[in-house]
Amino acid sequence: MQLLNIACGNRYHKDWINIDFYANNSDIKKVNILSGLPFKDNSFDVAYSSHFFEHLHTQDATFVISEVYRVLKKGGILRIVVPDLEGVCKEYIKMIDLASKNMDYKQQYEWMTLELLDQMVRVESGGNMGKLYQKITNEQNKSLADYILYRVGEDLLQPKNEIPKTCNFLKKSQKINVNFIQNKVLFLYLGIIRRLIPKNLRNIIFINTSIGEKHLWMYDKISLQTLFEKAGFKDIAIHRFNTSSIPYFNNYILDIKDDGTSYKGVSSIYMEGIK
């Protein structure tokens, strides 16, 4: 089977064609996905993308999924994983109700506010979510750390002096190569331009977050299904993190951890469609 992993980040498998805006090793192909997929029509049996579409404007998401449809073979499967807006909203309402009656739930309520909003409004890398991650790690706050692990799959209980990987969870473990140097030069240039803007206007004109860090849209089961349908996909179905119509999908350890638990906690929606 020909398998395509779109915007793979650090979650990829050598048996797949893995593409991303950044290529950190030989198993990942650098592709500007918003310019189209550099593959022929009807090339792949399976396409997969996890936590990418929420980082696209809606018009870009429509374009990318149309490209996926183009490169899939007839009968090919697309699996998309995104944060579940419905689930986040339900949990937020649950926690605001609990916190209004019992302040023991205040920390969980504050986390849900961040989970819902922080990646949409942050103006600096990591945002308030990153600051909270560091605080939890420093204080070894097991109760809140366990709740975040349950929600989004992030384990924050690391040694006090070790910065948790999630504080800069979009930073890739890059090697020194041409792509790395090009990106460093670009960000250095943008940083110089930013400093020329008056300080009180910088956060309005310049958003100092990494490419792909902010959420530009959110999906629930209806809007995500609509995205599939507009592209032409049929037999659209919701799956769990460990179920799929893709043969032997769990063998690739993409939506599960090595121990079989969810890589993204309970906060995501998993949807598949057939070309």
Side-chain angles (χ1 to χ4, degrees), residues 136-197:
I136 291 170
T137 303
N138 290 340
E139 297 176 355
Q140 292 290 285
N141 186 335
K142 187 176 188 308
S143 176
L144 187 53
D146 286 347
Y147 182 66
I148 293 172
L149 177 62
Y150 163 74
R151 285 293 308 162
V152 297
E154 300 285 2
D155 187 357
L156 305 181
L157 294 184
Q158 301 180 38
K160 187 172 182 178
N161 293 326
E162 180 180 341
I163 297 175
K165 62 181 180 180
T166 45
C167 279
N168 198 358
F169 50 88
L170 286 167
K171 182 179 285 185
K172 313 277 194 298
S173 55
Q174 294 169 306
K175 297 179 180 178
I176 301 299
N177 55 30
V178 174
N179 292 331
F180 177 81
I181 294 171
Q182 287 175 340
N183 292 331
K184 282 294 184 183
V185 171
L186 173 61
F187 291 133
L188 178 62
Y189 169 75
L190 292 175
I192 293 171
I193 296 297
R194 185 176 189 271
R195 287 179 176 85
L196 297 176
I197 306 296

Side-chain angles (χ1 to χ4, degrees), residues 170-235:
L170 286 167
K171 182 179 285 185
K172 313 277 194 298
S173 55
Q174 294 169 306
K175 297 179 180 178
I176 301 299
N177 55 30
V178 174
N179 292 331
F180 177 81
I181 294 171
Q182 287 175 340
N183 292 331
K184 282 294 184 183
V185 171
L186 173 61
F187 291 133
L188 178 62
Y189 169 75
L190 292 175
I192 293 171
I193 296 297
R194 185 176 189 271
R195 287 179 176 85
L196 297 176
I197 306 296
K199 184 175 290 187
N200 60 329
L201 295 177
R202 285 176 189 171
N203 287 343
I204 298 173
I205 298 173
F206 253 88
I207 298 175
N208 193 30
T209 58
S210 303
I211 295 173
E213 182 174 351
K214 291 191 71 172
H215 289 173
L216 301 179
W217 199 250
M218 291 284 282
Y219 293 92
D220 54 38
K221 60 191 175 188
I222 295 177
S223 58
L224 188 57
Q225 179 172 332
T226 300
L227 184 68
F228 272 81
E229 289 173 341
K230 285 184 176 179
F233 287 93
K234 308 294 183 184
D235 299 323

Side-chain angles (χ1 to χ4, degrees), residues 19 21 30-39 63-64 66-68 70-71:
I19 63 173
F21 292 101
K30 182 179 180 180
V31 172
N32 182 354
I33 299 166
L34 298 184
S35 293
L37 300 180
F39 307 108
F63 170 71
V64 171
S66 70
E67 278 289 280
V68 177
R70 177 183 65 80
V71 303

Side-chain angles (χ1 to χ4, degrees), residues 16 18 45 47 80 85:
W16 293 60
N18 305 289
D45 301 283
I80 290 179
L85 177 59

